Amino acid sequence: MTETLLEAPATGTPAPDVRPAAPRRLLVALIISELLITFALATPIVATLSLKVQEIAPDRKEQVLATVMAVGSIAALLLNPVFGHLSDRTTGRFGRRRPWITGGLLAGLPAAAVMATAHSTAQLVIGWFLAQAAYNAALAALSAVIADRVPPHQQATMSGLFGAAGFAGVVPGLVLVGLIPGSTTALFVIPSVIGALGAVLAWSLLREPAIRPGAARAARTVNLRSVLGSLLFDPRTSPAFTVVWCQRFLLQFSNALIGAYGLYFLMARLDLSVAEAAGLVSATGLVSLAGNVLAAAVFGRVASRTGAYRLLVVASGVLMTSAMVIKMFSASVWPVYLATTVAAVGLGAFYAVDLALVLRVMPDGGDAARYLGVFNIAKALPQTLAPVLAPALLALGSDPVGASADQNYFALFLGGAVAALLATALTPLIRHPKLVRD
């Protein structure tokens, strides 16, 4: 199977983008900023929230964790496109994107303080909501910098590097969890402090031209109607964007079904203590991230040279499905490591191309941050739905593989496999003049 350029029709052919290559300073700034944001957001998701919930409500940890994760995900779901909408219309001497990126990184610090000092579920929920709001303000603007300032011939490579940075940002958190699993305060505060310090670096590197108040894009009205409208898009006018959105949703849903319950899975299936499970989460997490980073970086370059976007999406879906099947039957350490490795390569391959893919199929019109925010809903929404649906899947009878009578992880992973298969099946529907096809 080979990939060739899809020739656009004689009318409506997109004008060629002849922007010069982005400066290396900009690329470095994008990678560092993505790494810092991921570090601050992923550390609680991977383990810190689970450990904090274990302290606050050990007898109801699954239900409380589901509530905390769901509320934070709702914040990401709603606020990412809203902040993107506001960024698209920001004016001033410092540009449209840089104030939101730096401000979001700084605002994460007080949110971490709220979570670190939490003695109740309500306080933890508030802190996680604030953290999601802060870092999604930064993420919305950061992704739009690629659309604004990185030309198409660099976007696939940048997508891979950007994805690799996102995965690599989890590594420091996993190391911290392994080193100080009992110090939840430090696990909340350290990533946010480093993020706040990194905001200074981002401010100096992400220089952009001033946006005059009379600029056409920024002059458009911002009101309640426009803000609410930023959360929606019409699938009929952007079918390719819709398909890519659905694929990201399904693959992220597959990943999210097991991600938040990884610690509890190891405790139930492998009969480990909290400390032992936390150590194994750290170890498998490092393996996963190595595969994520390597796959994202390598496949991003492959996509840039070959244009084989759809082929990589199919490979990603197949690998994710295989990883879920392996985990369905895992009852010892080594199958867990194998499933982790397979899933890491699969997810890394997808995130190597999904950003470059969506930049080509999203509607034009100067609303890059808004549409990328809508696209990020496909990543945030599964984090809301998965914790809600996971307890129902876990309650579907007893686990045929593990010893648990009330937590069916076999059903949980089966749900993840089905979601990954559906994502793969949608691939032939991605059609757009700016893309390649078989």
Side-chain angles (χ1 to χ4, degrees):
M1 181 182 296
T2 60
E3 304 270 345
T4 58
L5 285 174
L6 171 62
E7 295 185 10
T11 59
T13 302
D17 192 326
V18 293
R19 284 178 290 171
R24 182 167 298 180
R25 168 183 55 80
L26 175 66
L27 304 182
V28 170
L30 287 169
I31 293 170
I32 291 176
S33 299
E34 172 69 4
L35 191 150
L36 292 174
I37 294 170
T38 305
F39 177 29
L41 270 178
T43 304
I45 293 173
V46 168
T48 314
L49 287 174
S50 299
L51 294 171
K52 190 67 174 180
V53 168
Q54 181 80 19
E55 295 176 5
I56 295 173
D59 297 330
R60 299 182 298 112
K61 58 181 182 293
E62 287 88 358
Q63 292 78 14
V64 171
L65 181 62
T67 300
V68 175
M69 297 289 285
V71 171
S73 297
I74 290 172
L77 171 80
L78 298 177
L79 295 179
N80 194 292
V82 168
F83 284 128
H85 173 71
L86 297 176
S87 175
D88 285 330
R89 285 155 175 77
T90 296
T91 62
R93 58 180 295 192
F94 301 116
R96 289 187 293 169
R97 315 301 185 191
R98 187 165 59 154
W100 293 97
I101 296 168
T102 304
L105 283 166
L106 292 172
L109 187 55
V114 173
M115 292 187 288
T117 58
H119 295 289
S120 66
T121 300
Q123 185 177 345
L124 188 61
V125 166
I126 291 170
W128 186 229
F129 181 94
L130 294 174
Q132 286 280 11
Y135 293 118
N136 273 280
L139 281 172
L142 188 67
S143 298
V145 174
I146 298 177
D148 293 344
R149 302 173 64 185
V150 178
H153 71 271
Q154 284 185 294
Q155 284 175 353
T157 298
M158 191 63 223
S159 178
L161 294 175
F162 201 68
F167 290 125
V170 184
V171 173
L174 290 170
V175 173
L176 284 176
V177 172
L179 292 175
I180 49 173
S183 181
T184 54
T185 297
L187 290 173
F188 278 121
V189 172
I190 290 174
S192 65
V193 169
I194 294 175
L197 294 174
V200 179
L201 180 62
W203 183 264
S204 65
L205 292 178
L206 286 169
R207 294 190 297 271
E208 57 182 324
I211 304 295
R212 296 188 301 274
R217 292 176 180 175
R220 291 175 294 178
T221 304
V222 175
N223 52 36
L224 181 60
R225 181 178 180 180
S226 72
V227 169
L228 293 177
S230 69
L231 300 171
L232 305 172
F233 69 96
D234 188 347
R236 297 170 299 178
T237 60
S238 49
F241 178 82
T242 303
V243 173
V244 179
W245 190 99
C246 290
Q247 286 187 312
R248 175 182 255 207
F249 172 87
L250 289 167
L251 288 174
Q252 188 60 36
F253 181 79
S254 175
N255 191 54
L257 268 180
I258 62 172
Y261 290 84
L263 185 75
Y264 305 149
F265 159 70
L266 294 174
M267 293 169 63
R269 276 278 184 95
L270 277 62
D271 194 25
L272 302 178
S273 67
V274 174
E276 290 170 335
L280 187 53
V281 165
S282 179
T284 57
L286 290 174
V287 171
S288 176
L289 287 164
N292 290 153
V293 172
L294 183 61
V298 170
F299 289 122
R301 288 189 172 274
V302 170
S304 182
R305 293 178 180 178
T306 66
Y309 296 101
R310 297 199 310 171
L311 186 60
L312 287 173
V313 170
V314 169
S316 172
V318 170
L319 288 171
M320 288 290 291
T321 303
S322 301
M324 296 302 107
V325 172
I326 295 171
K327 279 212 166 184
M328 286 166 59
F329 297 96
S330 295
S332 60
V333 171
W334 292 113
V336 170
Y337 275 109
L338 176 61
T340 297
T341 303
V342 173
V345 176
L347 199 61
F350 180 73
Y351 280 103
V353 298
D354 78 320
L355 183 56
L357 192 58
V358 81
L359 288 175
R360 284 162 170 75
V361 302
M362 70 182 186
D364 296 323
D367 287 323
R370 175 238 167 156
Y371 275 105
L372 288 170
V374 171
F375 186 56
N376 281 331
I377 289 177
K379 191 173 185 179
L381 184 57
Q383 296 176 28
T384 302
L385 295 179
V388 173
L389 295 177
L393 292 173
L394 288 170
L396 291 176
S398 60
D399 192 333
V401 176
S404 176
D406 57 355
Q407 293 178 328
N408 191 349
Y409 283 98
F410 184 92
L412 188 71
F413 299 137
L414 179 59
V418 170
L421 275 177
L422 287 175
T424 308
L426 289 174
T427 305
L429 300 179
I430 305 174
R431 296 188 178 94
H432 194 278
K434 293 182 181 178
L435 291 179
V436 293
R437 69 179 180 184
D438 298 338

